[in-house]
Amino acid sequence: MRLKAARLHTPAGGGSFVMSHLSIGLFLVDQDRHRIAVGSDRQRHIPLKTGEGWILPADVTGICEYDEALSFLKLELPESLLGDMGFYRQRDFAPVVGAFDPLLAQFVHQAAATTESAPSLYRDTMQLALAAHLAEVLWPQKPGLAGIEDRRLRRALDYIHDNLAADLSLDDLASEAAMSRFHFSRAFTRVTGKSPLQYVISQRMELAKLLLKTTRLPMASIAANVGYEDVSRFGQHFRRHTGTTPAAYRAD
């Protein structure tokens, strides 16, 4: 499946939406009365100017309303395209609403201008460039694990991110890296600046923050999704990591 791009013109109004794929919207006109809710019914007034817009994960739902006619570019990126960049966790990033990275905005315009009649090599090269830059914008430390040259540690990091809800053990991680537990722990801490345990907890809390802001999942489900059967223990770790409770973070 290829990237889908379209230039859309809609009257004032808006309504609810469901994004089946990771999607980008780039406004072509100012919208001073733009309101949006992502993952909930709670709308926020976020004025958007020409060249600004949103980047939303796959499967996200929400509401978008505006008081004037809207023209915008919309791109839908298939998982296979982002997977080529090593960007596999395409639902685990905070929705972006507002200013765009300037280079990303250029790529969006180029993608929207590319038609099926364009030469395949040009189209495919342009789409890969867009996917690569988008991955860096959304998750600069994860796609390709830039800066980590040891493939053994990259395998372990991929395993962590793909199994945050699992009961991870040092044996599992060292096995993924094909290293002894002692050498793995030393190498991992040297490269990431955190012990394996500290790193796992920090990534679980980042995912929990995302789920709290973009879903209506009950607290027990969020805890389970980030590897905690005990909700109170999840709450303790969350407060230690963020300085607030999960409930307060969601309500903020």
Side-chain angles (χ1 to χ4, degrees), residues 30 32 55 76 82 126-127 138 167 206 215 218 232 240:
D30 293 352
D32 293 334
I55 308 172
E76 294 184 353
L82 291 169
M126 181 276 298
Q127 292 186 4
L138 294 178
D167 182 17
E206 289 303 310
T215 76
S232 64
R240 190 178 303 125

Side-chain angles (χ1 to χ4, degrees), residues 33-45:
R33 296 295 303 161
H34 172 260
R35 286 94 61 196
I36 190 168
V38 180
S40 72
D41 296 328
R42 184 183 179 189
Q43 293 190 40
R44 292 181 295 155
H45 173 217

